[in-house]
Amino acid sequence: NGNVVYKARHYSVTPLGPRSGLIQWVDGATALFGLYKRWQQREAVAQVLKNQAAGVTIIPSTILRPSEVFYNKLNPILKEKGISVDSRKEWPLSILLHVLKDLMSETPQDLLAKELWCSCSSALEWWEVTQTYSHSTAVMSMIGYIIGLGDRHLDNVLVDLATGEIVHIDYNVCFEKGKNLRVPEKVPFRMTPNIESALGITGVEGTFEHLVNMY
């Protein structure tokens, strides 16, 4: 389609020295972690209201960071198996997979998809935003693969909910530097259930796959 421009949202970086510089502020973008955090807050409020309706007075618990949620599930299993928490190289893959599946079952897979839907005022606008999101995700996935970009945690992947554009920040771990970390990064780009669900009903087999095959 000659009318579609495939591009990556970028921003300016001005070096001031070997270890410092100025980075342009990215307007209108929200970190994916912010969406996850908002869901945690909504769940906490819903639990409080549920307790109040049942006549139970419970002080709301502190919202845990993702790492705390992870270790709260992992540590008891490791302790039961007699494995030290500090010995990451000894953690059995089966245990890590069990914890991952447990965490995935507790986290909705449509957090991003719903945020994109709620940001639109019509079905046509939602379709256009979803198409832009699919294009942007495909382009950035290929760019990330080509330059060996790692460290793609939820604070380094942003989304502009008004347009659907994905914006990646923090390119420090590039040229496959992530493969040399203490816990090597082996995936070519981030494709989690939430990112895939936001691609629409065809998932990775629609616009995303078409553009990836083009590259």
Side-chain angles (χ1 to χ4, degrees):
N1 187 346
N3 297 323
V4 180
V5 178
Y6 305 119
K7 62 179 182 178
R9 178 94 166 259
H10 58 276
Y11 49 90
S12 300
V13 178
T14 305
L16 299 178
R19 300 182 62 83
S20 63
L22 297 175
I23 303 177
Q24 178 185 355
W25 183 266
V26 181
D27 290 324
T30 303
L32 295 187
F33 179 70
L35 306 183
Y36 174 77
K37 193 75 173 178
R38 290 210 297 248
W39 167 73
Q40 283 186 306
Q41 293 169 342
R42 291 195 300 269
E43 287 293 293
V45 171
Q47 187 60 47
V48 170
L49 295 176
K50 182 179 179 180
N51 291 336
Q52 290 178 347
V56 179
T57 303
I58 300 178
I59 300 176
S61 58
T62 303
I63 296 177
L64 300 176
R65 298 191 299 270
S67 59
E68 293 173 326
V69 177
F70 171 71
Y71 281 108
N72 283 350
K73 290 186 175 297
L74 177 66
N75 289 352
I77 302 176
L78 292 178
K79 185 176 180 181
E80 181 183 346
K81 301 290 185 181
I83 303 171
S84 172
V85 179
D86 300 323
S87 304
R88 295 189 65 161
K89 291 183 179 181
E90 297 179 9
W91 294 354
L93 183 59
S94 59
I95 291 179
L96 293 174
L97 185 60
H98 172 78
V99 172
L100 172 63
K101 289 182 177 180
D102 201 12
L103 290 170
M104 289 176 62
S105 68
E106 296 177 359
T107 307
Q109 298 185 7
D110 57 356
L111 292 179
L112 178 56
K114 284 185 175 179
E115 291 285 351
L116 291 174
W117 169 260
C118 291
S119 69
C120 301
S121 58
S122 67
L124 177 59
E125 184 182 355
W126 169 81
W127 170 253
E128 293 173 346
V129 165
T130 301
Q131 288 300 297
T132 299
Y133 167 79
S134 299
H135 293 160
S136 180
T137 301
V139 171
M140 275 310 309
S141 295
M142 289 301 95
I143 291 176
Y145 169 70
I146 292 169
I147 67 173
L149 182 61
D151 197 31
R152 296 301 86 200
H153 56 74
L154 295 183
D155 274 322
N156 281 347
V157 184
L158 284 59
V159 59
D160 187 334
L161 295 174
T163 64
E165 285 182 293
I166 286 292
V167 187
H168 283 249
I169 61 173
D170 192 352
Y171 287 73
N172 180 50
V173 182
C174 58
F175 306 127
E176 298 190 343
K177 191 192 302 183
K179 290 185 176 181
N180 297 322
L181 296 175
R182 187 162 63 95
V183 179
E185 296 183 345
K186 299 181 180 181
V187 296
F189 50 79
R190 189 181 185 107
M191 181 56 65
T192 63
N194 259 284
I195 292 177
E196 181 178 353
S197 295
L199 293 171
I201 192 171
T202 57
V204 296
E205 297 179 348
T207 302
F208 178 87
E209 183 181 48
H210 171 68
L211 293 180
V212 168
N213 288 336
M214 286 178 57
Y215 281 88

